[in-house]
């Protein structure tokens, strides 16, 4: 058996004609098969099995994100997590700091963090839905 091949696996899925076609791309694309199916559930199973075979990992999670009505990007980060790494989600402030030594000892509750400003939409130079 081959050793495990941890990495980030990507497929671009395009719908058209008789169904769906998925093409591997990125660092782990070498030796990955093109997959075709009539429906997304069947296609995702074929992609999953191909990644399971190459990676050597028996199970993993993936994300399939629609980019346009006819194109989606399938991604699986397989065996890339590191032990002891803590990932914090969301924005906002950290927990209230401990009061300074010699303070009055009556620590006041931290004020609610300011909401993060909405990001302005950036002009990309093309329309995804053309």
């Amino acid at each position: 058996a081959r050793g495990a091949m941890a990495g980030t696996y990507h497929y671009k899925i395009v719908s058209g004609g008789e169904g769906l076609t998925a093409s591997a791309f990125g660092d782990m694309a070498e030796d990955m098969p093109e997959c075709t199916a009539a429906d997304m559930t069947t296609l995702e199973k074929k992609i999953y099995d191909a990644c399971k075979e190459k990676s050597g990992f028996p199970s993993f999670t993936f994300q399939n994100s629609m980019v346009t009505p006819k194109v989606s990007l399938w991604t699986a980060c397989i065996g890339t997590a590191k032990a002891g790494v803590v990932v914090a989600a969301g924005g906002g402030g950290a927990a209230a700091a401990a009061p300074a030594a010699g303070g009055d000892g009556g620590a006041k509750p931290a004020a609610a963090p300011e909401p993060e400003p909405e990001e302005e939409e950036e002009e990309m130079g093309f329309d995804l839905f053309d």
Side-chain angles (χ1 to χ4, degrees):
R2 238 180 5 203
M5 291 199 56
T8 302
Y9 292 75
H10 300 281
Y11 270 86
K12 177 181 178 183
I13 301 171
V14 178
S15 67
E18 298 296 312
L20 302 160
T21 302
S23 304
F25 70 96
D27 293 342
M28 305 305 288
E30 187 176 334
D31 300 327
M32 296 298 291
E34 180 175 276
C35 300
T36 58
D39 62 85
M40 189 62 78
T41 302
T42 304
L43 184 65
E44 285 181 335
K45 172 83 170 96
K46 288 180 176 184
I47 296 170
Y48 187 92
D49 289 346
C51 291
K52 180 178 170 180
E53 172 74 25
K54 181 172 181 175
S55 72
F57 284 81
S59 65
F60 53 88
T61 59
F62 63 86
Q63 179 72 37
N64 188 1
S65 303
M66 184 186 294
V67 178
T68 72
K70 293 186 179 236
V71 177
S72 65
L73 299 177
W74 189 99
T75 302
C77 296
I78 303 173
T80 58
K82 303 289 184 214
V85 173
V86 177
V87 177
D104 64 7
K108 295 169 185 68
E114 291 286 322
E116 292 190 24
E118 292 288 324
E119 288 188 28
E120 297 273 333
E121 286 194 24
E122 186 176 320
E123 183 59 43
M124 295 186 290
F126 60 91
D127 187 351
L128 289 175
F129 302 105
D130 275 347

